[in-house]
Amino acid sequence: MIGAVQLGLLAACVVLFVPMGMAGWHLSRNKMLFFSGALFITLAVGVHLMPYFPSLSVFLSTSEVISAPISLYHDSCIFSLHSVMYSNVRECDDGPFDNHEIGCKKSWQWIESDQVAKCEFQKLKKSDASDLLNGSWVVVAGDSQARLMVVSLLELVIGSEGMERIRGDLFKRHSDYSMMVEEIGMKLDFVWAPYVANLTELMLQLKRNKNLPDVMVMGAGLWDMLHVNNASEYGMSLRMLRDNVLALLPVSSNLDAGGVELSESKSTRILHLFWVGMPTLITSMLNTDEKREKMTDEMCNSYDNELYGSKLLRESGGPLLKLDIRMLSDLCGPPCTADGMHYDGVVYDATVQIMLNALLIESNQKPE
Ligand SMILES: *[C@@H]1O[C@H](CO)[C@@H](O)[C@H](O)[C@H]1NC(C)=O
Ligand SMILES: *[C@@H]1O[C@H](CO)[C@@H](O)[C@H](O)[C@H]1NC(C)=O
Ligand SMILES: *[C@@H]1O[C@H](CO)[C@@H](O)[C@H](O)[C@H]1NC(C)=O
């Protein structure tokens, strides 16, 4: 519902300005007061009756559909999904390994708190993930961070042997990748989209095709930071993306399910949208001078601020749930990266599990 306050203000403006306008048409002061009073009463009665006319209030609240997920963001389980920690499978200083990559292999788990216990987060195994994603169309679009998400997701659903078969294709740099996981009827598309403008283009394409995936994961920023290096322009492109994501979403929404329901096609389908954030960049480890110069902490912060300012994310009233790679990679730290930008699989494994648990919550298969 549009807040009573806004309606009140609107009514006040009408009551004030309409008679003033009429005064311009040579109405006497008494007549003006009469019109004011009549208008005031009409509006007041209208406002109070409005809730009893559902069609009117639906009409008035269509513009608010986008904010529906806010309540979900405050849903405490969605909020605690990122409460994870890493631990060393083997102690770094222990054993014969000098090489960090071998000696410090990390694993991750959710921290043991009452809140996390209440939410019953679980690391989905292959069979659980297959059940969850059975028959769905998953689109992941973005830069290398999005690609690493795809690697972790596929490793989960087709196992490491299956992965070996397709690894060559998947690691072709800078290209799209599409596969049908036959066993579970899951269609997965990776769309190489290094810039936010490429994501916007993808939204337009989906809209033209009138066919929406079930799960859409996107994120871009690193290329922009390196090649454009202008946070306010990044912010502008994000706002354009937000507008185009919203344009994709139908107006009717299912508030209780938290997701946005597709009213036009299959009414039971819910579109789930995620944003893959940028990683923590460890400037001293970046592999070119240009990167070290441009991809500073300061720049990362400005880019992050633009992301919040763009209202693309649920936490700021937008449609996408953020997968906080920056936080998750920072927790893992320098031992988990060779180039200060691309992290070990464990970071993206955790991210994929966070995403799948969010899907479980949103599809009401989990306690809220
Ligand atoms: C996927 O769903 C179909 C039909 O709903 C079912 O026949 C099939 O066994 C499911 N596969 C998996 C791996 O769950
Ligand atoms: C991504 O967008 C940039 C800038 O708009 C464009 O030059 C490039 O061709 C696009 N790349 C892809 C893969 O669409
Ligand atoms: C960033 O882009 C904006 C808008 O295009 C421009 O006004 C501003 O000067 C640019 N900032 C830098 C540091 O180049």
PDB file of all heavy atoms in Angstrom, residues 319-344:
ATOM      1  N   PRO A 319      15.801  -5.709  -6.430  1.00  0.00           N
ATOM      2  CA  PRO A 319      15.355  -7.071  -6.724  1.00  0.00           C
ATOM      3  C   PRO A 319      16.386  -8.187  -6.510  1.00  0.00           C
ATOM      4  O   PRO A 319      16.008  -9.351  -6.504  1.00  0.00           O
ATOM      5  CB  PRO A 319      14.971  -6.985  -8.207  1.00  0.00           C
ATOM      6  CG  PRO A 319      15.840  -5.913  -8.769  1.00  0.00           C
ATOM      7  CD  PRO A 319      16.128  -4.955  -7.651  1.00  0.00           C
ATOM      8  N   LEU A 320      17.675  -7.855  -6.363  1.00  0.00           N
ATOM      9  CA  LEU A 320      18.691  -8.916  -6.333  1.00  0.00           C
ATOM     10  C   LEU A 320      19.234  -9.172  -4.928  1.00  0.00           C
ATOM     11  O   LEU A 320      19.534  -8.242  -4.192  1.00  0.00           O
ATOM     12  CB  LEU A 320      19.872  -8.546  -7.244  1.00  0.00           C
ATOM     13  CG  LEU A 320      19.775  -8.872  -8.730  1.00  0.00           C
ATOM     14  CD1 LEU A 320      18.683  -8.070  -9.396  1.00  0.00           C
ATOM     15  CD2 LEU A 320      21.098  -8.608  -9.421  1.00  0.00           C
ATOM     16  N   LEU A 321      19.390 -10.445  -4.622  1.00  0.00           N
ATOM     17  CA  LEU A 321      20.002 -10.804  -3.350  1.00  0.00           C
ATOM     18  C   LEU A 321      21.509 -10.900  -3.547  1.00  0.00           C
ATOM     19  O   LEU A 321      21.983 -11.610  -4.426  1.00  0.00           O
ATOM     20  CB  LEU A 321      19.455 -12.153  -2.870  1.00  0.00           C
ATOM     21  CG  LEU A 321      19.954 -12.611  -1.501  1.00  0.00           C
ATOM     22  CD1 LEU A 321      19.455 -11.690  -0.395  1.00  0.00           C
ATOM     23  CD2 LEU A 321      19.512 -14.036  -1.214  1.00  0.00           C
ATOM     24  N   LYS A 322      22.255 -10.178  -2.726  1.00  0.00           N
ATOM     25  CA  LYS A 322      23.705 -10.156  -2.926  1.00  0.00           C
ATOM     26  C   LYS A 322      24.387 -11.397  -2.360  1.00  0.00           C
ATOM     27  O   LYS A 322      24.126 -11.793  -1.231  1.00  0.00           O
ATOM     28  CB  LYS A 322      24.325  -8.921  -2.275  1.00  0.00           C
ATOM     29  CG  LYS A 322      25.838  -8.865  -2.545  1.00  0.00           C
ATOM     30  CD  LYS A 322      26.465  -7.567  -2.134  1.00  0.00           C
ATOM     31  CE  LYS A 322      26.679  -7.520  -0.641  1.00  0.00           C
ATOM     32  NZ  LYS A 322      27.631  -6.469  -0.257  1.00  0.00           N
ATOM     33  N   LEU A 323      25.246 -11.984  -3.177  1.00  0.00           N
ATOM     34  CA  LEU A 323      26.155 -13.012  -2.697  1.00  0.00           C
ATOM     35  C   LEU A 323      27.465 -12.282  -2.434  1.00  0.00           C
ATOM     36  O   LEU A 323      28.116 -11.800  -3.362  1.00  0.00           O
ATOM     37  CB  LEU A 323      26.312 -14.108  -3.752  1.00  0.00           C
ATOM     38  CG  LEU A 323      24.991 -14.819  -4.107  1.00  0.00           C
ATOM     39  CD1 LEU A 323      25.149 -15.693  -5.340  1.00  0.00           C
ATOM     40  CD2 LEU A 323      24.471 -15.620  -2.929  1.00  0.00           C
ATOM     41  N   ASP A 324      27.801 -12.173  -1.174  1.00  0.00           N
ATOM     42  CA  ASP A 324      28.868 -11.250  -0.783  1.00  0.00           C
ATOM     43  C   ASP A 324      30.248 -11.875  -0.942  1.00  0.00           C
ATOM     44  O   ASP A 324      30.884 -12.288   0.025  1.00  0.00           O
ATOM     45  CB  ASP A 324      28.635 -10.807   0.671  1.00  0.00           C
ATOM     46  CG  ASP A 324      29.433  -9.566   1.008  1.00  0.00           C
ATOM     47  OD1 ASP A 324      30.408  -9.265   0.279  1.00  0.00           O
ATOM     48  OD2 ASP A 324      29.089  -8.891   2.000  1.00  0.00           O
ATOM     49  N   ILE A 325      30.715 -11.879  -2.193  1.00  0.00           N
ATOM     50  CA  ILE A 325      32.027 -12.474  -2.473  1.00  0.00           C
ATOM     51  C   ILE A 325      33.132 -11.682  -1.777  1.00  0.00           C
ATOM     52  O   ILE A 325      34.125 -12.236  -1.338  1.00  0.00           O
ATOM     53  CB  ILE A 325      32.316 -12.495  -3.995  1.00  0.00           C
ATOM     54  CG1 ILE A 325      31.187 -13.194  -4.749  1.00  0.00           C
ATOM     55  CG2 ILE A 325      33.648 -13.161  -4.286  1.00  0.00           C
ATOM     56  CD1 ILE A 325      31.271 -14.670  -4.766  1.00  0.00           C
ATOM     57  N   ARG A 326      32.924 -10.375  -1.645  1.00  0.00           N
ATOM     58  CA  ARG A 326      33.975  -9.561  -1.017  1.00  0.00           C
ATOM     59  C   ARG A 326      34.216 -10.039   0.407  1.00  0.00           C
ATOM     60  O   ARG A 326      35.341 -10.248   0.830  1.00  0.00           O
ATOM     61  CB  ARG A 326      33.564  -8.086  -1.027  1.00  0.00           C
ATOM     62  CG  ARG A 326      34.708  -7.173  -0.632  1.00  0.00           C
ATOM     63  CD  ARG A 326      34.403  -5.703  -0.858  1.00  0.00           C
ATOM     64  NE  ARG A 326      35.573  -4.898  -0.525  1.00  0.00           N
ATOM     65  CZ  ARG A 326      35.561  -3.576  -0.474  1.00  0.00           C
ATOM     66  NH1 ARG A 326      34.464  -2.899  -0.749  1.00  0.00           N
ATOM     67  NH2 ARG A 326      36.665  -2.924  -0.147  1.00  0.00           N
ATOM     68  N   MET A 327      33.135 -10.240   1.117  1.00  0.00           N
ATOM     69  CA  MET A 327      33.241 -10.689   2.497  1.00  0.00           C
ATOM     70  C   MET A 327      33.750 -12.128   2.558  1.00  0.00           C
ATOM     71  O   MET A 327      34.647 -12.447   3.331  1.00  0.00           O
ATOM     72  CB  MET A 327      31.852 -10.539   3.132  1.00  0.00           C
ATOM     73  CG  MET A 327      31.790 -10.833   4.584  1.00  0.00           C
ATOM     74  SD  MET A 327      31.439 -12.553   4.808  1.00  0.00           S
ATOM     75  CE  MET A 327      30.047 -12.478   5.870  1.00  0.00           C
ATOM     76  N   LEU A 328      33.219 -12.975   1.706  1.00  0.00           N
ATOM     77  CA  LEU A 328      33.590 -14.387   1.748  1.00  0.00           C
ATOM     78  C   LEU A 328      35.048 -14.603   1.338  1.00  0.00           C
ATOM     79  O   LEU A 328      35.727 -15.469   1.883  1.00  0.00           O
ATOM     80  CB  LEU A 328      32.675 -15.203   0.828  1.00  0.00           C
ATOM     81  CG  LEU A 328      31.206 -15.282   1.275  1.00  0.00           C
ATOM     82  CD1 LEU A 328      30.332 -15.851   0.161  1.00  0.00           C
ATOM     83  CD2 LEU A 328      31.068 -16.108   2.547  1.00  0.00           C
ATOM     84  N   SER A 329      35.535 -13.784   0.388  1.00  0.00           N
ATOM     85  CA  SER A 329      36.925 -13.944  -0.028  1.00  0.00           C
ATOM     86  C   SER A 329      37.861 -13.326   1.005  1.00  0.00           C
ATOM     87  O   SER A 329      38.936 -13.847   1.278  1.00  0.00           O
ATOM     88  CB  SER A 329      37.150 -13.327  -1.408  1.00  0.00           C
ATOM     89  OG  SER A 329      36.756 -11.972  -1.420  1.00  0.00           O
ATOM     90  N   ASP A 330      37.417 -12.237   1.617  1.00  0.00           N
ATOM     91  CA  ASP A 330      38.229 -11.592   2.644  1.00  0.00           C
ATOM     92  C   ASP A 330      38.438 -12.527   3.839  1.00  0.00           C
ATOM     93  O   ASP A 330      39.526 -12.602   4.399  1.00  0.00           O
ATOM     94  CB  ASP A 330      37.538 -10.297   3.089  1.00  0.00           C
ATOM     95  CG  ASP A 330      38.436  -9.477   3.994  1.00  0.00           C
ATOM     96  OD1 ASP A 330      39.639  -9.378   3.679  1.00  0.00           O
ATOM     97  OD2 ASP A 330      37.950  -8.950   5.009  1.00  0.00           O
ATOM     98  N   LEU A 331      37.383 -13.249   4.188  1.00  0.00           N
ATOM     99  CA  LEU A 331      37.481 -14.201   5.295  1.00  0.00           C
ATOM    100  C   LEU A 331      38.522 -15.273   5.012  1.00  0.00           C
ATOM    101  O   LEU A 331      39.219 -15.727   5.907  1.00  0.00           O
ATOM    102  CB  LEU A 331      36.129 -14.900   5.491  1.00  0.00           C
ATOM    103  CG  LEU A 331      35.134 -14.343   6.481  1.00  0.00           C
ATOM    104  CD1 LEU A 331      33.922 -15.259   6.531  1.00  0.00           C
ATOM    105  CD2 LEU A 331      35.756 -14.230   7.866  1.00  0.00           C
ATOM    106  N   CYS A 332      38.571 -15.687   3.763  1.00  0.00           N
ATOM    107  CA  CYS A 332      39.506 -16.752   3.389  1.00  0.00           C
ATOM    108  C   CYS A 332      40.931 -16.194   3.324  1.00  0.00           C
ATOM    109  O   CYS A 332      41.889 -16.836   3.731  1.00  0.00           O
ATOM    110  CB  CYS A 332      39.088 -17.353   2.057  1.00  0.00           C
ATOM    111  SG  CYS A 332      39.522 -19.076   1.852  1.00  0.00           S
ATOM    112  N   GLY A 333      41.046 -14.975   2.799  1.00  0.00           N
ATOM    113  CA  GLY A 333      42.313 -14.252   2.877  1.00  0.00           C
ATOM    114  C   GLY A 333      43.363 -14.665   1.855  1.00  0.00           C
ATOM    115  O   GLY A 333      43.105 -15.490   0.981  1.00  0.00           O
ATOM    116  N   PRO A 334      44.566 -14.062   1.964  1.00  0.00           N
ATOM    117  CA  PRO A 334      45.641 -14.292   0.996  1.00  0.00           C
ATOM    118  C   PRO A 334      45.986 -15.768   0.758  1.00  0.00           C
ATOM    119  O   PRO A 334      46.343 -16.111  -0.372  1.00  0.00           O
ATOM    120  CB  PRO A 334      46.836 -13.538   1.606  1.00  0.00           C
ATOM    121  CG  PRO A 334      46.204 -12.495   2.476  1.00  0.00           C
ATOM    122  CD  PRO A 334      44.943 -13.096   3.004  1.00  0.00           C
ATOM    123  N   PRO A 335      45.876 -16.644   1.761  1.00  0.00           N
ATOM    124  CA  PRO A 335      46.219 -18.044   1.442  1.00  0.00           C
ATOM    125  C   PRO A 335      45.291 -18.660   0.395  1.00  0.00           C
ATOM    126  O   PRO A 335      45.600 -19.703  -0.152  1.00  0.00           O
ATOM    127  CB  PRO A 335      46.036 -18.767   2.787  1.00  0.00           C
ATOM    128  CG  PRO A 335      46.072 -17.724   3.828  1.00  0.00           C
ATOM    129  CD  PRO A 335      45.543 -16.476   3.188  1.00  0.00           C
ATOM    130  N   CYS A 336      44.144 -18.027   0.138  1.00  0.00           N
ATOM    131  CA  CYS A 336      43.170 -18.611  -0.775  1.00  0.00           C
ATOM    132  C   CYS A 336      43.245 -18.039  -2.185  1.00  0.00           C
ATOM    133  O   CYS A 336      42.361 -18.288  -2.998  1.00  0.00           O
ATOM    134  CB  CYS A 336      41.752 -18.394  -0.254  1.00  0.00           C
ATOM    135  SG  CYS A 336      41.449 -19.157   1.323  1.00  0.00           S
ATOM    136  N   THR A 337      44.256 -17.232  -2.475  1.00  0.00           N
ATOM    137  CA  THR A 337      44.327 -16.666  -3.824  1.00  0.00           C
ATOM    138  C   THR A 337      45.768 -16.574  -4.289  1.00  0.00           C
ATOM    139  O   THR A 337      46.683 -16.351  -3.489  1.00  0.00           O
ATOM    140  CB  THR A 337      43.662 -15.266  -3.879  1.00  0.00           C
ATOM    141  OG1 THR A 337      43.871 -14.702  -5.175  1.00  0.00           O
ATOM    142  CG2 THR A 337      44.234 -14.330  -2.827  1.00  0.00           C
ATOM    143  N   ALA A 338      45.931 -16.771  -5.597  1.00  0.00           N
ATOM    144  CA  ALA A 338      47.277 -16.663  -6.150  1.00  0.00           C
ATOM    145  C   ALA A 338      47.490 -15.290  -6.781  1.00  0.00           C
ATOM    146  O   ALA A 338      48.613 -14.810  -6.866  1.00  0.00           O
ATOM    147  CB  ALA A 338      47.501 -17.758  -7.188  1.00  0.00           C
ATOM    148  N   ASP A 339      46.399 -14.660  -7.233  1.00  0.00           N
ATOM    149  CA  ASP A 339      46.562 -13.396  -7.949  1.00  0.00           C
ATOM    150  C   ASP A 339      45.827 -12.221  -7.299  1.00  0.00           C
ATOM    151  O   ASP A 339      45.660 -11.171  -7.898  1.00  0.00           O
ATOM    152  CB  ASP A 339      46.117 -13.550  -9.410  1.00  0.00           C
ATOM    153  CG  ASP A 339      44.624 -13.867  -9.524  1.00  0.00           C
ATOM    154  OD1 ASP A 339      43.945 -13.918  -8.472  1.00  0.00           O
ATOM    155  OD2 ASP A 339      44.149 -14.058 -10.651  1.00  0.00           O
ATOM    156  N   GLY A 340      45.357 -12.435  -6.071  1.00  0.00           N
ATOM    157  CA  GLY A 340      44.710 -11.346  -5.348  1.00  0.00           C
ATOM    158  C   GLY A 340      43.331 -10.992  -5.861  1.00  0.00           C
ATOM    159  O   GLY A 340      42.756  -9.975  -5.456  1.00  0.00           O
ATOM    160  N   MET A 341      42.779 -11.824  -6.748  1.00  0.00           N
ATOM    161  CA  MET A 341      41.507 -11.498  -7.386  1.00  0.00           C
ATOM    162  C   MET A 341      40.627 -12.730  -7.580  1.00  0.00           C
ATOM    163  O   MET A 341      39.425 -12.703  -7.336  1.00  0.00           O
ATOM    164  CB  MET A 341      41.796 -10.841  -8.740  1.00  0.00           C
ATOM    165  CG  MET A 341      40.575 -10.422  -9.512  1.00  0.00           C
ATOM    166  SD  MET A 341      41.001  -9.802 -11.146  1.00  0.00           S
ATOM    167  CE  MET A 341      41.788  -8.248 -10.806  1.00  0.00           C
ATOM    168  N   HIS A 342      41.231 -13.816  -8.030  1.00  0.00           N
ATOM    169  CA  HIS A 342      40.498 -15.066  -8.214  1.00  0.00           C
ATOM    170  C   HIS A 342      40.860 -15.989  -7.058  1.00  0.00           C
ATOM    171  O   HIS A 342      42.036 -16.236  -6.819  1.00  0.00           O
ATOM    172  CB  HIS A 342      40.859 -15.700  -9.555  1.00  0.00           C
ATOM    173  CG  HIS A 342      40.616 -14.768 -10.713  1.00  0.00           C
ATOM    174  ND1 HIS A 342      41.615 -14.064 -11.324  1.00  0.00           N
ATOM    175  CD2 HIS A 342      39.461 -14.403 -11.320  1.00  0.00           C
ATOM    176  CE1 HIS A 342      41.093 -13.298 -12.286  1.00  0.00           C
ATOM    177  NE2 HIS A 342      39.783 -13.480 -12.298  1.00  0.00           N
ATOM    178  N   TYR A 343      39.832 -16.447  -6.363  1.00  0.00           N
ATOM    179  CA  TYR A 343      40.089 -17.208  -5.147  1.00  0.00           C
ATOM    180  C   TYR A 343      39.921 -18.703  -5.365  1.00  0.00           C
ATOM    181  O   TYR A 343      39.403 -19.143  -6.406  1.00  0.00           O
ATOM    182  CB  TYR A 343      39.163 -16.711  -4.036  1.00  0.00           C
ATOM    183  CG  TYR A 343      39.627 -15.386  -3.447  1.00  0.00           C
ATOM    184  CD1 TYR A 343      39.433 -14.194  -4.123  1.00  0.00           C
ATOM    185  CD2 TYR A 343      40.311 -15.352  -2.237  1.00  0.00           C
ATOM    186  CE1 TYR A 343      39.879 -12.989  -3.607  1.00  0.00           C
ATOM    187  CE2 TYR A 343      40.763 -14.147  -1.702  1.00  0.00           C
ATOM    188  CZ  TYR A 343      40.544 -12.971  -2.394  1.00  0.00           C
ATOM    189  OH  TYR A 343      40.992 -11.791  -1.875  1.00  0.00           O
ATOM    190  N   ASP A 344      40.357 -19.459  -4.370  1.00  0.00           N
ATOM    191  CA  ASP A 344      40.234 -20.914  -4.456  1.00  0.00           C
ATOM    192  C   ASP A 344      38.765 -21.330  -4.491  1.00  0.00           C
ATOM    193  O   ASP A 344      37.886 -20.595  -4.020  1.00  0.00           O
ATOM    194  CB  ASP A 344      40.905 -21.563  -3.236  1.00  0.00           C
ATOM    195  CG  ASP A 344      42.421 -21.366  -3.251  1.00  0.00           C
ATOM    196  OD1 ASP A 344      42.941 -20.927  -4.291  1.00  0.00           O
ATOM    197  OD2 ASP A 344      43.055 -21.642  -2.212  1.00  0.00           O
TER     198      ASP A 344
END
